[in-house]
Amino acid sequence: MSDRPESTPPAEHPNWPALVEDAAQPWETLSSRALVSGMRSVHEDHVRLPGGVETTYQYRQRGPRAVFALPVTADGQAVLIRQYRYPLRATVTEVVAGGIEAGESILAAAQREVAEEVGGQGGEWIALPGFYPQPSISGVVFYPFLALGVTLGDMTHEDTETIERVVVPLPEAYRRLEAGEIHDGPSSLTLFHARRVLEDRGLL
């Protein structure tokens, strides 16, 4: 983990506590089996719906969590990345993102990913609304942040990552968003939620 100044942990975004299972479940799980084990496990359940219909459902279980972060430097530069994504066979523009490790807080995970992927240090961290990226097939939960006043240093990419740091003025980042040039959905939503804060601070 990279050394960096300690930041005051932000309060949770008000919507974070709502990202939990419902108390009552309308579908009854009759059986469940793992089709794929490992980091991206896939389950297949046999379920009964309220009307009595039975069917099978393949999905990723609730539990995995990830963070997304838009770092902004003191002089108003947005720090994005260009990353090669093997399933797409394409390089796409994204905000910083990564999984939350066991025993790690949501904020600590975001700070670690920013340090590793773009060399970002310090800053004021603002929690943004969390969301489900693919609720029809996945129980993964994403937690985004806006980080203001970040300083940039050396990056420490993993051997399996092909990442380029992209530093652009905030208006250019949002031009790309509005032009449909940010093809990654979670990155687009992170930028969308960050916009009001940036406008309120006079940065955009």
Side-chain angles (χ1 to χ4, degrees):
M1 184 176 292
S2 300
D3 293 329
R4 56 185 178 276
E6 291 297 325
S7 297
T8 301
E12 285 189 342
H13 188 275
N15 93 320
W16 288 9
L19 300 174
V20 296
E21 295 181 0
D22 291 346
Q25 296 293 315
W27 290 18
E28 179 186 359
T29 303
L30 303 175
S31 65
S32 181
R33 66 186 181 114
L35 297 180
V36 179
S37 59
M39 183 175 65
R40 293 180 174 86
S41 62
V42 177
H43 279 68
E44 181 179 80
D45 289 3
H46 185 61
V47 298
R48 181 183 293 122
L49 280 61
V53 174
E54 295 185 11
T55 188
T56 57
Y57 208 98
Q58 296 175 356
Y59 67 105
R60 291 188 65 194
Q61 288 186 317
R62 176 184 282 274
R65 301 180 300 166
V67 290
F68 286 72
L70 173 62
V72 177
T73 63
D75 61 348
Q77 304 287 310
V79 188
L80 306 172
I81 62 173
R82 293 271 295 159
Q83 183 163 199
Y84 177 73
R85 293 300 193 180
Y86 182 75
L88 299 175
R89 305 300 200 272
T91 300
V92 296
T93 300
E94 306 174 357
V95 300
V96 172
I100 300 173
E101 297 179 355
E104 190 175 37
S105 72
I106 298 173
L107 174 62
Q111 291 177 323
R112 173 180 52 76
E113 290 293 344
V114 166
E116 292 174 355
E117 292 193 356
V118 299
Q121 307 281 330
E124 175 191 0
W125 289 76
I126 301 165
L128 302 173
F131 56 92
Y132 301 129
Q134 294 178 302
S136 64
I137 61 171
S138 176
V140 174
V141 185
F142 286 170
Y143 297 92
F145 287 91
L146 170 63
L148 301 176
V150 172
T151 59
L152 299 179
D154 294 334
M155 300 172 286
T156 55
H157 297 158
E158 298 176 9
D159 293 340
T160 56
E161 294 176 325
T162 304
I163 295 176
E164 172 194 0
R165 182 171 68 191
V166 179
V167 182
V168 297
L170 275 167
E172 169 60 15
Y174 280 89
R175 184 204 65 77
R176 296 183 185 189
L177 176 67
E178 292 166 359
E181 297 173 10
I182 309 295
H183 301 150
D184 177 59
S187 296
S188 296
L189 193 52
T190 299
L191 284 159
F192 171 81
H193 283 306
R195 182 175 217 146
R196 177 174 291 182
V197 179
L198 294 169
E199 290 174 343
D200 289 347
R201 298 290 184 95
L203 297 173
L204 190 63

